[in-house]
């Protein structure tokens, strides 16, 4: 009980810290420099693909993600809240200006048309799951994301499944708890279908 209260307090403190950081980030966002970001991104595209369009099933596409989402995630990796054996070390030494410049660059890159083709039987089933579970309320009707909420359309299928399993098991950090809650209702079969459905979605 005490432990979970402490954990809750620490999550609330983290959320407050993130909000004040983000306020700072957006005061500075006007100065975010996508051209500087393009240079800084040279190290990133080795894994995330040219222009942030990943061809690796375990690595997310960054192209056309909302700018605020990219800044938030880089901040979480840098602060050690979100952890990944490959990604964490690349975020550790980034300055606030780097976060803003990299986010400005990747969010402005065109998303390549999805290479993934959804199995016909999962098109209607996937849409139904995203409507019944309000995914479309937060991630936007077209699932293109908004503000600090990621684009899901055209993301790598295996990456999407791994994140959903991570939220469900509370092993992926979640800034405000919303996504951990949203994942609880999903069965393993739902997660399989969602990976296939979301990954094949292109621009509306
Ligand atoms: C060695 C490979 C590698 C390099 C280099 C790398 N990343 Fe990553 N990145 C990953 C992996 C793998 C993930 C997914 C981590 C996970 O599963 O939680 C990731 C996740 C991310 C995410 C979260 C995206 C999302 O949809 O949640 C962002 C943002 C990101 N990386 C930005 C960057 C930036 C900016 C750089 C360069 C400074 C960079 N990465 C360099 C492998 C890499
Ligand atoms: C109440 C709002 C809300 C709802 C409902 C919601 N999400 Fe999310 N989702 C978020 C937020 C916020 C994040 C970013 C969480 C973070 O990293 O702090 C997120 C992150 C994700 C990610 C990680 C993607 C990435 O690139 O890292 C996936 C996958 C995802 N959501 C899928 C879904 C699916 C599928 C549903 C419906 C079953 C859903 N979400 C419902 C708010 C929501």
């Amino acid at each position: 009980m005490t432990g979970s209260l402490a954990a809750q307090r620490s999550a609330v403190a983290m959320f407050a810290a993130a909000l004040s950081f983000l306020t700072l980030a957006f005061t500075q966002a006007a100065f975010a420099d996508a051209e500087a970001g393009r240079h800084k991104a040279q190290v990133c595209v080795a894994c995330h693909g040219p222009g942030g369009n990943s061809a690796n099933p375990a690595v997310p596409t960054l192209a056309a993600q909302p700018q605020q989402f990219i800044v938030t995630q880089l901040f979480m990796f840098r602060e050690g809240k979100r952890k990944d054996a490959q990604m964490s070390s690349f975020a550790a030494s980034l300055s606030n200006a780097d976060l803003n410049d990299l986010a400005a660059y990747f969010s402005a890159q065109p998303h390549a048309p999805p290479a993934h083709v959804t199995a016909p039987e999962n098109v209607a089933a996937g849409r139904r799951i995203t409507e019944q579970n309000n995914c479309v309320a937060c991630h936007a009707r077209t699932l293109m994301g908004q503000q600090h909420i990621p684009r899901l359309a055209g993301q790598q299928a295996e990456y999407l499944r791994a994140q959903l399993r991570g939220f469900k098991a509370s092993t992926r950090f979640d800034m405000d708890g919303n996504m951990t809650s949203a994942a609880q209702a999903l069965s393993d079969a739902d997660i399989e279908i969602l990976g296939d459905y979301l990954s094949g979605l292109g621009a509306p």
Side-chain angles (χ1 to χ4, degrees):
M1 187 68 196
T2 317
S4 90
L5 258 181
Q8 270 181 21
R9 286 208 187 99
S10 127
V12 169
M14 183 64 208
F15 187 48
L19 279 184
S20 64
F21 168 78
L22 290 173
T23 309
L24 177 71
F26 294 115
T27 323
Q28 294 176 346
F31 303 109
D33 181 344
E35 187 49 29
R38 191 168 65 82
H39 291 288
K40 295 174 182 178
Q42 279 169 7
V43 59
C44 320
V45 299
C47 290
H48 288 280
N53 280 291
S54 170
N56 181 332
V59 179
T61 282
L62 304 177
Q65 277 293 4
Q67 192 168 345
Q68 189 180 342
F69 170 70
I70 298 177
V71 172
T72 312
Q73 296 304 314
L74 288 173
F75 175 74
M76 296 303 168
F77 278 118
R78 188 182 75 188
E79 304 304 312
K81 289 291 164 187
R82 188 175 168 189
K83 296 190 178 80
D84 178 72
Q86 290 188 75
M87 181 56 213
S88 294
S89 61
F90 288 93
S93 58
L94 298 176
S95 68
N96 288 355
D98 294 340
L99 265 56
N100 281 316
D101 293 349
L102 286 161
Y105 170 71
F106 282 115
S107 65
Q109 300 313 300
H111 196 294
H116 182 93
V117 180
T118 304
E121 67 273 22
N122 286 341
V123 174
R127 189 183 308 123
R128 191 176 61 244
I129 297 169
T130 59
E131 285 167 2
Q132 283 174 351
N133 294 280
N134 293 324
C135 318
V136 289
C138 291
H139 290 270
R141 193 182 51 77
T142 54
L143 297 164
M144 295 289 166
Q146 49 183 337
Q147 300 174 335
H148 67 294
I149 306 177
R151 170 178 175 144
L152 304 176
Q155 187 54 280
Q156 288 289 339
E158 260 324 301
Y159 173 77
L160 289 167
R161 292 185 184 116
Q163 299 310 306
L164 289 170
R165 289 188 211 107
F167 286 122
K168 194 174 172 189
S170 296
T171 51
R172 170 160 168 192
F173 180 76
D174 172 7
M175 187 168 71
D176 54 13
N178 279 335
M179 198 47 227
T180 299
S181 310
Q184 297 313 310
L186 301 174
S187 67
D188 291 348
D190 291 339
I191 291 174
E192 273 309 302
I193 295 170
L194 282 168
D196 187 34
Y197 170 67
L198 295 168
S199 191
L201 280 182

